[in-house]
Amino acid sequence: MYVDDFLYFSSDPLVEQTFEKLIPSKTSLQLEFNGPLHHFLGVEFTHSYTPDGHLSLHMSQEADIHQLLQDNNLHTATAIIKPTPYRSGHHPVDSIPNVHMSPTDRLTLESKLRTVIGSLNWLATQTRPDIATITNIIAQYQSNPSPGHLEAARYVLRYLKGTSNLGITFSSQVKPSLESFVKFPIAPDKLHPFSDANWGPQASTPKPNDSPIELDLFKSRSISGFLIWLGGPLHWVSKHQSITARSSTEAEIYAVDECTKSLQHISHILTDLHLFQLFTDNAPIPIQNDNEAAVKWSHNMTTKGLRHIQMRENAVHEQVQLGFITVEHIGGKHNPADTFTKEEKDINHFIHCRDLLVSPPIYSNIMNANWTQHNIRNDENNTVHDNNKNTVGDTHNASLIN
């Protein structure tokens, strides 16, 4: 027996009812209609309506987090809860020293770290953008970890223990806290991308009298971060750049290029759904970036100092000239993508940025949104396919689009 789940929805209940009647007659599959959506692929959905008719959809993975804590023996009341996923006051992850270990012990450590990182990545790419950056940083050490890297990952688990009910929310209402942060209006039905980069290594700059240390190549590479907002955090990325940027402007250009590629992917999906014009008004999509030189470069206003930029980044030029995007300047303190570029040391700043992205569910007595879940069953075979166990997270697939 093959089992698969899918969702369908419509603004018109008659369309849903017609679909429910027609699909069994058009196929040989046995269907089970499970009613309004509450859980799907490990994600819990909570719908709520405001008195004036606005809809909010909250998505979280509290059950997955509790299972992850239990698997790592952190579910007991004695486990210390952390206020952020970063070890504030301690050395950053890139400063954790390499420890000599036997090959057997190293393989055991690698297996443990990969298991935890795989679970964290599933959460970070689906409903927990607040752990995307630290997961990306620790993941760089999966092939040669030290015990300190596993402890850093377990530190993230302790943070999740105290924030297990947080998740992303999509709403047809304006989000005042985000508008206050970025200092300009954010329409809930339009795409709003933000990009940023942190130039150079995460570790502190050595002092004159410090002993020289060997710096791994990837540690000197910048981290690109971007956020695409559409009534909520639609897509986000924290990613080490593939080459070393020679300047902060170059690092920012690479980040804009990554954001542009994701926007093109999203635009293709919206076009297939005949929704591109609705969410863009067929106007250039403004990417907000906090580096003025990178903004000028995207509009072909640059200096000889940037002639060395890789040809592939000229795709940004092309998309600006084609009218697909435009790049605009935003103050560094007002750029929400900043949280995806570095290991945050300021607890208050992290919490401020986190609260823009994730929140606890808003419960309501009205739970009648037109989202319905289905199971498809085919009794001709005795094999079961479980999507919950076989789905792999991908930073290029935003939750709203899946």
Side-chain angles (χ1 to χ4, degrees):
M1 177 176 64
Y2 291 100
V3 179
D4 203 354
D5 296 335
F6 70 92
L7 304 176
Y8 70 88
F9 59 92
S10 172
S11 59
D12 187 349
L14 291 177
V15 174
E16 293 185 357
Q17 294 170 13
T18 302
F19 175 81
E20 293 170 3
K21 293 178 180 178
L22 288 178
I23 191 170
S25 63
K26 299 295 184 180
T27 67
S28 60
L29 301 176
Q30 180 182 351
L31 302 178
E32 292 184 3
F33 297 97
N34 298 329
L37 173 66
H38 298 294
H39 294 85
F40 186 72
L41 300 180
V43 178
E44 180 179 355
F45 294 78
T46 305
H47 312 87
S48 62
Y49 282 96
T50 62
D52 54 353
H54 285 284
L55 170 66
S56 290
L57 172 66
H58 184 267
M59 303 165 60
S60 63
Q61 293 171 280
E62 190 168 4
D64 287 348
I65 292 174
H66 289 165
Q67 183 62 53
L68 180 58
L69 293 170
Q70 186 170 351
D71 293 344
N72 289 273
N73 297 319
L74 291 173
H75 60 290
T76 63
T78 57
I80 301 175
I81 297 173
K82 303 300 181 181
T84 83
Y86 305 103
R87 301 188 299 174
S88 302
H90 297 263
H91 294 295
V93 172
D94 283 352
S95 296
I96 294 175
N98 189 22
V99 177
H100 177 73
M101 303 176 67
S102 68
T104 301
D105 290 341
R106 181 79 69 183
L107 286 174
T108 301
L109 181 59
E110 288 178 5
S111 177
K112 290 181 178 179
L113 183 60
R114 286 171 178 167
T115 299
V116 176
I117 289 298
S119 298
L120 290 178
N121 188 56
W122 171 239
L123 296 171
T125 57
Q126 300 303 304
T127 63
R128 294 303 298 262
D130 51 325
I131 65 169
T133 307
I134 189 62
T135 301
N136 166 48
I137 293 173
I138 301 175
Q140 306 299 313
Y141 297 91
Q142 291 180 91
S143 61
N144 187 31
S146 293
H149 298 118
L150 180 59
E151 181 54 37
R154 289 175 63 83
Y155 196 99
V156 181
L157 295 180
R158 295 186 181 98
Y159 164 73
L160 289 173
K161 179 178 175 64
T163 60
S164 61
N165 68 331
L166 296 184
I168 57 177
T169 299
F170 295 90
S171 176
S172 58
Q173 280 186 307
V174 170
K175 189 177 179 68
S177 58
L178 180 62
E179 291 189 334
S180 176
F181 187 84
V182 301
K183 305 302 181 185
F184 62 83
I186 299 291
D189 60 344
K190 295 295 181 286
L191 285 167
H192 295 278
F194 304 85
S195 74
D196 199 6
N198 186 59
W199 182 45
Q202 297 287 307
S204 303
T205 304
K207 297 179 181 180
N209 296 328
D210 289 347
S211 301
I213 59 173
E214 182 179 355
L215 189 65
D216 293 325
L217 184 61
F218 75 87
K219 292 183 181 179
S220 64
R221 291 175 178 167
S222 306
I223 294 181
S224 295
F226 64 83
L227 167 69
I228 299 176
W229 189 273
L230 180 59
L234 177 66
H235 184 45
W236 57 88
V237 163
S238 176
K239 176 183 179 182
H240 275 81
Q241 296 179 357
S242 58
I243 59 177
T244 302
R246 294 181 174 89
S247 67
S248 59
T249 298
E250 186 174 347
E252 297 282 0
I253 291 172
Y254 295 155
V256 173
D257 179 61
E258 290 292 335
C259 184
T260 300
K261 288 189 290 187
S262 290
L263 279 173
Q264 288 179 293
H265 171 71
I266 292 171
S267 72
H268 294 325
I269 297 175
L270 293 177
T271 300
D272 288 344
L273 296 173
H274 304 287
L275 294 174
F276 182 76
Q277 182 176 357
L278 175 65
F279 293 129
T280 65
D281 288 336
N282 278 343
I285 303 171
I287 299 178
Q288 305 293 329
N289 184 272
D290 55 18
N291 186 287
E292 291 189 2
V295 173
K296 292 179 179 179
W297 180 90
S298 69
H299 294 280
N300 282 328
M301 295 182 293
T302 187
T303 64
K304 293 182 179 180
L306 293 177
R307 287 185 301 178
H308 62 278
I309 298 295
Q310 298 290 325
M311 291 300 296
R312 65 187 180 91
E313 274 61 53
N314 279 324
V316 175
H317 284 311
E318 294 174 356
Q319 296 306 315
V320 170
Q321 293 172 3
L322 290 172
F324 177 66
I325 64 168
T326 182
V327 183
E328 301 177 352
H329 184 261
I330 185 175
K333 294 182 179 180
H334 308 298
N335 191 350
D338 175 72
T339 192
F340 298 109
T341 65
K342 59 179 177 292
E343 191 170 351
E344 185 63 70
K345 298 178 181 179
D346 186 336
I347 294 178
N348 291 329
H349 183 261
F350 167 79
I351 293 176
H352 191 183
C353 291
R354 179 198 68 188
D355 291 348
L356 297 174
L357 301 172
V358 294
S359 61
I362 301 175
Y363 294 99
S364 171
N365 293 327
I366 304 175
M367 305 286 287
N368 59 353
N370 293 322
W371 292 64
T372 310
Q373 178 179 356
H374 308 278
N375 289 333
I376 302 178
R377 300 186 181 274
N378 188 336
D379 295 327
E380 296 178 357
N381 193 292
N382 58 2
T383 303
V384 176
H385 176 72
D386 186 347
N387 277 333
N388 289 315
K389 295 182 179 178
N390 294 321
T391 301
V392 178
D394 180 355
T395 56
H396 295 289
N397 290 335
S399 299
L400 186 62
I401 295 177
N402 284 347

